[in-house]
Amino acid sequence: MAPKLKVAICGGGIGGLTLALVLDKYAGDSIKVDVYEAKSGFSEIGAGLSIWKRTWSIIKTLGLERSLGEMAVTFPDETPKLGFGFKKSDQAEQSENFYRMISPYGSITVHRADMLKILVDNLPKGFHAHFNKRLVAYTQPEREGSVTLRFADGTTAQADLLIGADGVNSTTREIMYTDFAESAMRAGNMDEAMRLKQHISASWTGTYAYRSLLNVEKFLEFAPGHQAATVPLFYLGKDRHIVSYPISRGKLINLIGFVSFPESEGQNLDGPSVVEVPKEDMINPFSAWEPEARTLMEGVEKSSRWAICHVRNLPKYVSGRVVLLGDSAHAMTTHIGAGAGQAIEDAYVLGRLLSDNLSNKSTLDSALRVYDSVRRPIGNFVVEHSRTIGLAYEFNYVPDAIRAAGVDMGSPKGFDLLSDFIYDTWSFHWKSMPEEDWLRAEQMLRSMLSEPTN
Ligand SMILES: Cc1cc2nc3c(=O)[nH]c(=O)nc-3n(C[C@H](O)[C@H](O)[C@H](O)COP(=O)(O)OP(=O)(O)OC[C@H]3O[C@@H](n4cnc5c(N)ncnc54)[C@H](O)[C@@H]3O)c2cc1C
């Protein structure tokens, strides 16, 4: 039987491949899926990822629990455990952890390459992957008809739907928002055109992340008993902070040092967004910190610097037969470990909507409208949440409760209230589930297409 839909996924990262798995599970052969990836294969750069209960629920639904769980530090289970320990570290004296954030599952920390490999290993037989296909343009008809994709190598492809899962520097978003801005201009609405133009590219947050992987065995030889070997930690300070957690069954430490220039938020980036740097660039900003943080940084042998960019408050994730998913829709700061999880949630809700037996070429607009209504508020909310807590970690934002209590953020009461703020901000990861969003989406689709829910 001919497939009911032909879907082109642009980008074979965590979001794009999860969508391929969701479509395979729920639609089988009724949706033909082609993935177009700019690189010569599926690969991940970068190091660790922390994921949480919401994301884990989708991993379980997709049957990936065992294989990914075995790659975590300990096999994940729902028992409440330490998510992260927090301490203030930008002083010469050693400090104690001021807060231990406990959550169901704790933080499930994995190597990104392991996660991608598990997604790839589970792709269906006969899955259509096309490598060295960098999307450079797309066109879509005013009404009915296929979307045409154009690639850097001069070739083209056609599909009923294009899903832009092409990451933080998304070409799909660039084309979509250039088109939106041009049509606002043609309509004489210059203010709206200017507003839309701001969404074409991701903007720099003013923060650089210096990343490194430490071999735990080697690290413990010169730092015996250091808690970072086993404990996920945040070290906080003015205009900078460190995140550290074990990955790869505890054999490696994923280490990130953040250095911020808050006044530079929103400015254009000077130079490439990822560069290899001498290890001193990562170590030196923390050289006056407490001994524990300094010792951790002294374990660094190699480092790369990532400019952290985000995409704030997109007014639409959909334009006709083109849709954004993952970082292309809501690239975010890393401060609540949520970017990959949000890409996976997009993939789950969109994949289920497209697979639904009410979805076909003629009802596609409704399915996409529901995706936008359900996922966009959540994606945009998490971007803002993540930004705000990042400012608080670096003492550049005073949470309302601290302000209302009239205490100093660095006082014992200030740290108690900061701990509450940290818990409240992170708790969306475990207080509600993406299945609830899917059920809401299903309800909306059925009422739009006037059919009772089973
Ligand atoms: C320092 C750092 C730490 C992070 N820590 C966490 C964490 O702890 N937890 C968490 O959940 N998230 C974390 N994230 C965020 C997470 O990595 C991203 O949100 C996630 O990878 C987004 O997935 P994606 O599929 O949308 O994009 P990507 O994974 O970036 O995939 C995009 C894919 O599209 C391809 N592509 C790009 N352009 C084109 C094109 N024009 N044509 C065809 N293909 C194209 C790329 O090659 C790539 O394969 C972190 C990010 C950073 C930078």
Side-chain angles (χ1 to χ4, degrees):
M1 213 166 64
K4 67 173 184 176
L5 276 177
K6 280 167 74 179
V7 164
I9 302 175
C10 171
I14 288 170
L17 294 185
T18 304
L19 177 63
L21 291 185
V22 176
L23 290 172
D24 177 54
K25 179 175 171 78
Y26 292 100
D29 293 341
S30 71
I31 299 187
K32 177 168 186 287
V33 179
D34 287 273
V35 174
Y36 298 95
E37 166 56 48
K39 291 182 291 199
S40 56
F42 295 126
S43 64
E44 265 289 332
I45 49 169
L49 268 184
S50 67
I51 51 178
W52 304 83
K53 183 175 174 179
R54 275 183 77 96
T55 310
W56 194 248
S57 70
I58 298 176
I59 297 292
K60 278 163 103 172
T61 302
L62 294 178
L64 308 177
E65 181 186 14
R66 178 134 304 280
S67 39
L68 191 58
E70 280 168 0
M71 297 295 176
V73 177
T74 53
F75 197 88
D77 71 76
E78 184 141 12
T79 324
K81 44 183 88 63
L82 183 69
F84 274 105
F86 291 81
K87 59 190 331 211
K88 180 178 178 297
S89 302
D90 60 343
Q91 68 288 316
E93 309 75 45
Q94 182 66 34
S95 70
E96 295 303 315
N97 298 359
F98 70 81
Y99 180 46
R100 287 167 47 82
M101 183 179 76
I102 304 293
S103 66
Y105 290 96
S107 51
I108 303 167
T109 55
V110 295
H111 199 298
R112 305 167 75 91
D114 290 338
M115 171 121 188
L116 197 82
K117 181 173 183 310
I118 285 160
L119 296 177
V120 171
D121 288 350
N122 284 277
L123 290 170
K125 277 204 190 87
F127 172 78
H128 306 280
H130 310 266
F131 297 116
N132 299 309
K133 293 288 173 193
R134 176 171 292 281
L135 183 82
V136 289
Y138 69 75
T139 48
Q140 56 174 327
E142 286 278 309
R143 292 190 173 278
E144 303 284 288
S146 309
V147 185
T148 302
L149 290 72
R150 291 184 195 285
F151 301 103
D153 63 1
T155 58
T156 60
Q158 299 219 311
D160 300 317
L161 175 66
L162 163 61
I163 294 149
D166 45 354
V168 57
N169 297 314
S170 166
T171 303
T172 316
R173 185 185 61 243
E174 187 185 325
I175 301 168
M176 184 185 285
Y177 274 83
T178 304
D179 287 351
F180 284 153
E182 283 173 359
S183 57
M185 239 178 313
R186 279 195 300 277
N189 193 342
M190 295 306 163
D191 289 347
E192 176 70 352
M194 288 309 290
R195 199 172 63 80
L196 290 163
K197 267 189 181 175
Q198 285 171 5
H199 298 297
I200 290 174
S201 304
S203 68
W204 186 36
T205 57
T207 296
Y208 287 122
Y210 293 88
R211 306 178 82 175
S212 189
L213 282 176
L214 273 49
N215 176 298
V216 167
E217 213 177 292
K218 208 164 160 191
F219 174 63
L220 285 176
E221 276 170 23
F222 86 88
H226 198 292
Q227 63 166 338
T230 49
V231 178
L233 289 162
F234 271 74
Y235 299 82
L236 309 186
K238 182 70 182 164
D239 290 342
R240 51 203 67 181
H241 72 279
I242 301 170
V243 179
S244 147
Y245 51 84
I247 56 169
S248 301
R249 302 189 179 111
K251 291 197 192 102
L252 298 171
I253 296 173
N254 180 57
L255 183 60
I256 316 178
F258 295 88
V259 177
S260 299
F261 305 90
E263 66 291 350
S264 299
E265 187 183 28
Q267 283 182 13
N268 286 338
L269 252 189
D270 233 359
S273 56
V274 182
V275 282
E276 296 299 312
V277 292
K279 65 177 185 176
E280 290 73 22
D281 286 16
M282 178 161 179
I283 299 170
N284 291 347
F286 303 95
S287 59
W289 281 33
E290 59 159 342
E292 182 186 318
R294 270 199 337 258
T295 308
L296 179 56
M297 280 298 173
E298 279 156 16
V300 170
E301 292 180 352
K302 272 173 71 180
S303 177
S304 55
R305 191 193 73 186
W306 296 53
I308 302 296
C309 296
H310 56 181
V311 172
R312 298 180 72 182
N313 287 316
L314 278 196
K316 292 177 190 175
Y317 284 0
V318 176
S319 165
R321 300 291 168 100
V322 181
V323 52
L324 304 177
L325 179 150
D327 274 10
S328 72
H330 44 62
M332 60 187 70
T333 55
T334 62
H335 307 315
I336 41 174
Q342 285 302 300
I344 290 170
E345 290 188 27
D346 287 347
Y348 183 65
V349 173
L350 181 61
R352 293 221 54 181
L353 278 165
L354 297 176
S355 304
D356 194 276
N357 54 18
L358 291 184
S359 287
N360 53 47
K361 271 189 227 173
S362 55
T363 59
L364 199 47
D365 293 348
S366 302
L368 298 184
R369 213 155 2 118
V370 173
Y371 168 72
D372 188 75
S373 311
V374 170
R375 282 299 308 153
R376 189 163 49 82
I378 301 172
N380 287 354
F381 161 83
V382 180
V383 174
E384 295 308 307
H385 234 45
S386 185
R387 172 182 178 272
T388 307
I389 200 164
L391 293 172
Y393 295 152
E394 300 189 349
F395 303 97
N396 288 317
Y397 169 79
V398 181
D400 290 347
I402 299 181
R403 203 185 299 277
V407 294
D408 192 85
M409 214 164 149
S411 67
K413 178 74 181 164
F415 278 118
D416 281 351
L417 293 170
L418 178 61
S419 305
D420 294 345
F421 177 73
I422 290 171
Y423 182 86
D424 289 345
T425 307
W426 283 77
S427 61
F428 84 93
H429 279 305
W430 53 86
K431 284 210 165 146
S432 59
M433 288 296 113
E435 192 63 20
E436 296 158 26
D437 302 327
W438 155 241
L439 292 175
R440 207 153 42 84
E442 183 187 30
Q443 187 75 47
M444 284 168 78
L445 185 69
R446 299 218 177 280
S447 63
M448 241 180 225
L449 300 172
S450 302
E451 218 196 60
T453 316
N454 311 334

